[in-house]
Amino acid sequence: MTTKIHMLADALGRPLRFIITGGQVHDATQTSALLEGQAASAVIADKAYDSNGFREQIAVMNAEAVIPSKRNRKVFIPHDQTLYKDRNRIERCFNRLKHFRRFATRYDRRTIHFTGFIYLAAAMI
């Protein structure tokens, strides 16, 4: 079975929170759990997270949603292009975690062991 790691990172690209699900689970289904209890001035995400529910959750946090609109959205919602350039920090965070061979190759068969190693690697970052 494949797994997928959903991650929340701070402005410096450090991991804050993880959720591990099955590989078939879409990223946008885990957004409310990742943002629960968080405070931010802006939330940066890619087009996959462009949903009204997610934008509402960000508005409840009193934060700015920096999410480009999907192509099929009827009413285009503008976003701050300058802030959006910082979205690569989450990608950098994943790349730093992939420097740990155990993370990159997923040697652990049990999810609980893999999760434990992710917390260890995140603490080292």
Side-chain angles (χ1 to χ4, degrees), residues 30-109:
Q30 303 302 314
T31 56
S32 61
L34 285 173
L35 287 181
E36 187 177 319
Q38 297 293 318
S41 59
V43 176
I44 305 172
D46 62 1
K47 287 182 182 185
Y49 297 94
D50 180 29
S51 70
N52 293 334
F54 187 47
R55 289 180 183 273
E56 287 172 16
Q57 183 180 8
I58 295 170
V60 168
M61 292 173 52
N62 293 324
E64 177 185 359
V66 184
I67 305 169
S69 295
K70 286 185 186 176
R71 202 179 293 169
N72 63 354
R73 186 176 270 282
K74 292 187 174 148
V75 178
F76 178 77
I77 301 171
H79 66 282
D80 186 345
Q81 302 244 342
T82 307
L83 269 178
Y84 188 71
K85 289 180 182 179
D86 290 334
R87 194 191 70 77
N88 68 15
R89 292 182 183 182
I90 187 74
E91 304 301 333
R92 290 182 193 176
C93 183
F94 270 110
N95 286 334
R96 271 189 247 122
L97 286 170
K98 287 180 182 178
H99 285 282
F100 297 95
R101 185 175 180 192
R102 187 172 170 182
F103 177 86
T105 57
R106 181 68 202 272
Y107 284 138
D108 297 315
R109 291 186 180 204

